[in-house]
């Protein structure tokens, strides 16, 4: 039992978890009970608020809370680029990708690429997606969450990981996306409230925003740092983040799944716009606590403890239990969405497509739940393997892993959607050979010849270089491929009736103006 937790804290934790499980059970088994419900895409019933909050809930995990406060403590708001620069690629999802995804009436993104390039590409992409979800979503998030729970509750790493994965698996297996999506609305509103309270208490104790600004280096308030900056040079962010942005926001099943479950295209586009506005909150809610911690506790030796230090030093009894349970909820949300995506891709794109095309809905559901169970067990072992790696900065590990996963997917989806002539051979070559090159470079960078010991380019620049090389290869292979590609204008052309209406255009225009203003304001300090 951790010394800073009182009995009332444990009552708050237990009460919240009970409410969460009861609500999930009600959504799954009492409301809308029926044998033919699509557990994967919530029967296309999601409105824009659920889509936006669900995407944000999938994106905001305990890893972000720890890592963002940590990077805020050491570098200021520069990591805000990973939240604010994203609006361009969320716009790309809303206007370029989602009309084609929803128009094709697909359950998964590999299914869409199967329609574009054929079954061979779909099979490769399905396995690629399964591996990606296991590593980048399940295992890395479980690792960060395990660290957090271990710090908070004094539990061994393996126990904290098992506890989190069991709770998450319950939501994914019992009710699919619907339970996760509905509970996300509740969890995200609570996360906003608790994080905001932490910021208000911290800023108040530090003497106000002007005192915080005075007591921090000017560079802490710049989004773009000099090209020779050791950690986050502007050129690396400008060139490298788009590769990650396209993959993360436009092609990753875990993120896009909420849009695929939209009632209609307009709800999907409004939901994407909503997540764009919510991402603005990432800086004040998750990075600012680290900056405040730098002012209040400059003697802190481990920046990864910045968020927890703020919680333990500023929150009264009872509220400490609340912040812990909100962090647990964020973890359940991220892991639950990832497990659901893993189940969807494996069941629909591998099991049904290749082995049991005539499977009944009952069999598909049963298979999906078995995949959740197996994926949960496998992710625990991978997480404990990651735990054995030492000496890596949490924020950089997360971003670099995503940076090395991104290039092949970004190339294939951009070429596949934007260039009708792109051939199956080009797509398959990039997805196989390109993945070996990209992930192989990542293994060398992170483990074999670690960046701290050897002199590497910035990981975002490496991601950009790999993307450019794979794009050139895709272009050359397409040009010299004698088997010309079947015309896909019907699949790739957006239906004129599906073009965004005034409300969608206006809200995106407004968001763009606000983002430009933020970039102007947070530079030159």
């Amino acid at each position: 039992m951790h010394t800073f937790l009182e009995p009332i804290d444990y009552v708050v934790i237990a009460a919240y978890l009970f409410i969460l499980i009861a609500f999930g059970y009600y959504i799954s088994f009492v409301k809308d009970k029926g044998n033919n419900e699509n557990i994967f895409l919530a029967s296309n019933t999601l409105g824009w608020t659920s889509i936006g909050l669900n995407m944000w809930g999938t994106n905001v995990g305990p890893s972000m809370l720890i890592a963002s406060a940590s990077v805020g403590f050491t570098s200021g708001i520069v990591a805000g680029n990973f939240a604010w620069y994203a609006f361009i690629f969320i716009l790309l999802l809303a206007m370029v990708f989602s009309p084609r995804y929803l128009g094709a009436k697909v359950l998964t993104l590999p299914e869409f690429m199967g329609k574009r390039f054929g079954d061979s590409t779909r099979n490769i992409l399905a396995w690629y997606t399964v591996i990606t979800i296991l590593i980048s979503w399940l295992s890395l998030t479980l690792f960060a969450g395990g660290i957090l729970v271990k710090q908070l509750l004094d539990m061994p790493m393996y126990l904290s990981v098992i506890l989190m994965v069991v709770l998450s698996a319950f939501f994914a297996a019992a009710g699919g996306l619907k339970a996760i999506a509905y509970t996300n609305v509740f969890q995200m509103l609570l996360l906003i409230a608790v994080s905001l309270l932490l910021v208000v208490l911290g800023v108040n104790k530090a003497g106000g925003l002007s005192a915080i600004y005075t007591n921090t280096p000017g560079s802490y308030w710049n989004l773009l740092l000099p090209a020779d900056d050791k950690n986050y040079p502007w050129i690396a962010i400008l060139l490298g983040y788009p590769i990650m942005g396209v993959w993360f926001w436009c092609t990753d099943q875990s993120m896009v799944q909420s849009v695929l479950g939209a009632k209609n295209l307009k709800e999907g586009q409004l939901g994407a716009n909503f997540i764009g506005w919510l991402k603005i909150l990432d800086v004040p809610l998750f990075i600012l606590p680290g900056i405040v911690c730098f002012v209040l506790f400059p003697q802190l030796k481990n920046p990864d403890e910045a968020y927890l230090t703020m919680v333990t030093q500023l929150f009264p009894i009872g509220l400490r239990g609340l912040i812990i349970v909100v962090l647990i909820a964020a973890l359940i949300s991220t892991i639950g969405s990832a497990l659901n995506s893993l189940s969807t891709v494996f069941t629909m794109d591998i099991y049904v497509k290749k082995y049991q095309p005539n499977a009944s809905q009952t069999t598909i559901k049963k298979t999906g739940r078995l995949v959740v169970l197996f994926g949960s067990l496998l992710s625990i072992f991978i997480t404990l393997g990651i735990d054995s790696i030492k000496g890596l900065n949490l924020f950089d590990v997360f971003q670099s892993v995503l940076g090395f996963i991104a290039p092949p997917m970004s190339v294939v989806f951009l070429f596949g959607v934007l260039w009708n002539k792109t051939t199956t051979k080009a797509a398959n070559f990039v997805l196989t050979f390109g993945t070996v090159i990209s992930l192989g470079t990542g293994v060398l960078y992170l483990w074999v010849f670690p960046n701290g010991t050897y002199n590497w380019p910035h990981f975002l620049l490496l991601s950009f270089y790999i993307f450019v090389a794979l794009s050139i290869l895709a272009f050359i292979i397409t040009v010299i491929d004698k088997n010309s590609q079947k015309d896909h204008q019907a699949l790739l052309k957006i239906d004129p009736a599906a073009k965004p209406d005034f409300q969608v255009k206006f809200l995106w225009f407004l968001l763009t103006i606000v983002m430009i203003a933020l970039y102007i304001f947070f530079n030159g300090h």
Side-chain angles (χ1 to χ4, degrees):
M1 186 178 290
H2 209 289
T3 51
F4 73 80
L5 290 179
E6 301 291 338
I8 186 91
D9 293 310
Y10 289 99
V11 171
V12 170
I13 292 171
Y16 177 88
L17 289 178
F18 175 78
I19 292 169
L20 201 61
I21 290 171
F23 187 64
Y25 180 85
Y26 171 76
I27 291 295
S28 303
F29 298 112
V30 180
K31 189 184 177 202
D32 299 331
K33 187 177 180 182
N35 293 327
N36 294 319
E37 179 189 350
N38 188 328
I39 68 166
F40 298 118
L41 294 182
S43 306
N44 291 97
T45 58
L46 298 181
W48 65 269
T49 49
S50 288
I51 291 167
L53 287 167
N54 191 44
M55 289 177 76
W56 200 46
T58 305
N59 184 218
V60 177
S63 52
M64 174 180 278
L65 299 177
I66 305 169
S68 296
S70 172
V71 77
F73 185 92
T74 57
S75 308
I77 69 163
V78 65
N81 283 291
F82 291 88
W84 290 358
Y85 194 5
F87 89 95
I88 295 172
F89 309 100
I90 301 172
L91 175 61
L92 201 64
L93 168 66
M95 302 303 175
V96 176
F97 286 92
S98 64
R100 293 172 169 93
Y101 292 159
L102 291 171
K105 292 181 172 55
V106 293
L107 284 176
T108 69
L109 300 185
E111 183 185 351
F112 176 82
M113 278 296 160
K115 288 187 175 185
R116 173 65 177 87
F117 290 116
D119 284 348
S120 59
T121 304
R122 176 172 176 170
N123 292 336
I124 294 169
L125 204 51
W127 283 108
Y128 181 96
T129 305
V130 164
I131 294 167
T132 300
I133 293 171
L134 271 172
I135 296 172
S136 71
W137 281 96
L138 280 174
S139 301
L140 278 177
T141 307
L142 268 178
F143 172 58
I147 290 173
L148 186 65
V149 175
K150 181 180 171 186
Q151 286 179 328
L152 288 168
L153 303 178
D154 274 351
M155 291 174 70
M157 184 67 169
Y158 74 94
L159 276 183
S160 60
V161 168
I162 290 171
L163 173 65
M164 291 299 96
V165 89
V166 165
L167 282 171
S168 305
F170 167 80
F171 283 98
L177 185 62
K178 182 167 277 191
I180 296 165
Y182 276 89
T183 52
N184 260 355
V185 176
F186 177 57
Q187 289 165 197
M188 287 309 102
L189 291 174
L190 198 53
L191 179 66
I192 292 170
V194 174
S195 295
L196 181 62
L197 184 58
L198 181 65
V199 170
V200 170
L201 291 173
V203 169
N204 187 52
K205 186 169 183 179
L209 287 173
S210 59
I212 293 171
Y213 181 80
T214 305
N215 291 308
T216 47
S219 63
Y220 267 46
W221 304 99
N222 291 333
L223 284 166
L224 301 177
L225 298 179
D228 60 354
D229 185 80
K230 187 176 71 171
N231 295 318
Y232 306 101
W234 70 268
I235 190 72
I237 288 171
L238 182 69
L239 295 178
Y241 179 77
I243 318 306
M244 192 189 303
V246 169
W247 168 74
F248 187 78
W249 293 106
C250 302
T251 79
D252 184 73
Q253 179 73 23
S254 297
M255 291 308 302
V256 179
Q257 184 153 305
S258 295
V259 175
L260 295 180
K263 288 177 186 174
N264 51 53
L265 176 61
K266 182 178 178 180
E267 292 292 323
Q269 290 176 327
L270 289 175
N273 180 262
F274 189 36
I275 177 74
W277 290 102
L278 288 172
K279 290 298 288 179
I280 295 175
L281 298 175
D282 284 11
V283 172
L285 288 180
F286 309 129
I287 295 177
L288 186 57
I291 301 174
V292 174
C293 187
F294 174 81
V295 174
L296 294 177
F297 311 103
Q299 74 284 359
L300 187 67
K301 291 180 181 178
N302 182 4
D304 286 349
E305 295 178 0
Y307 198 87
L308 194 57
T309 299
M310 292 285 285
V311 171
T312 57
Q313 297 298 320
L314 299 181
F315 270 41
I317 294 169
L319 280 179
R320 293 173 188 170
L322 186 60
I323 188 69
I324 289 170
V325 88
V326 168
L327 295 175
I328 291 171
L331 180 63
I332 289 171
S333 170
T334 306
I335 300 301
S337 291
L339 280 171
N340 196 71
S341 293
L342 180 74
S343 174
T344 306
V345 173
F346 185 88
T347 305
M348 303 309 296
D349 284 308
I350 297 174
Y351 177 74
V352 173
K353 178 74 176 173
K354 209 165 182 190
Y355 300 107
Q356 293 290 337
N358 298 317
S360 66
Q361 188 69 20
T362 306
T363 304
I364 291 172
K365 280 189 179 185
K366 186 178 178 182
T367 305
R369 285 166 180 157
L370 284 172
V371 172
V372 167
L373 178 62
F374 182 74
S376 301
L377 293 172
L378 189 56
S379 65
I380 291 171
F381 287 107
I382 298 174
T383 304
L384 295 177
I386 294 172
D387 188 42
S388 66
I389 302 169
K390 305 297 178 186
L392 296 173
N393 175 288
L394 188 63
F395 186 84
D396 286 344
V397 167
F398 268 71
Q399 301 305 333
S400 57
V401 167
L402 297 182
F404 290 120
I405 287 173
M409 290 282 272
S410 294
V411 169
V412 169
F413 272 81
L414 283 172
F415 271 71
V417 167
L418 299 179
W419 192 27
N420 188 39
K421 291 183 179 179
T422 308
T423 64
T424 300
K425 188 178 285 185
N428 290 354
F429 186 82
V430 169
L431 282 175
T432 50
F433 176 76
T435 299
V436 171
I437 294 295
S438 196
L439 293 183
T441 305
V443 169
L444 293 175
Y445 177 90
L446 291 169
W447 287 283
V448 182
F449 305 111
N451 183 43
T453 310
Y454 296 84
N455 190 22
W456 286 83
H458 195 277
F459 64 84
L460 286 174
L461 285 176
L462 281 174
S463 182
F464 174 72
Y465 298 150
I466 294 167
F467 173 84
V468 171
L470 295 181
S471 296
I472 293 170
L473 282 172
F475 177 78
I476 291 171
I477 293 169
T478 295
V479 169
I480 64 175
D481 189 359
K482 297 237 169 100
N483 297 320
S484 62
Q485 188 69 19
K486 177 185 170 185
D487 188 77
H488 286 285
Q489 286 295 348
L491 180 69
L492 299 180
K493 190 177 181 181
I494 299 176
D495 182 353
K499 288 192 176 173
D501 64 9
F502 175 77
Q503 184 186 6
V504 172
K505 287 180 180 176
F506 176 74
L507 287 171
W508 275 106
F509 174 75
L510 204 60
L511 178 62
T512 303
I513 296 299
V514 169
M515 296 312 298
I516 292 171
L518 285 172
Y519 266 85
I520 293 171
F521 184 79
F522 286 103
N523 273 301
H525 294 278

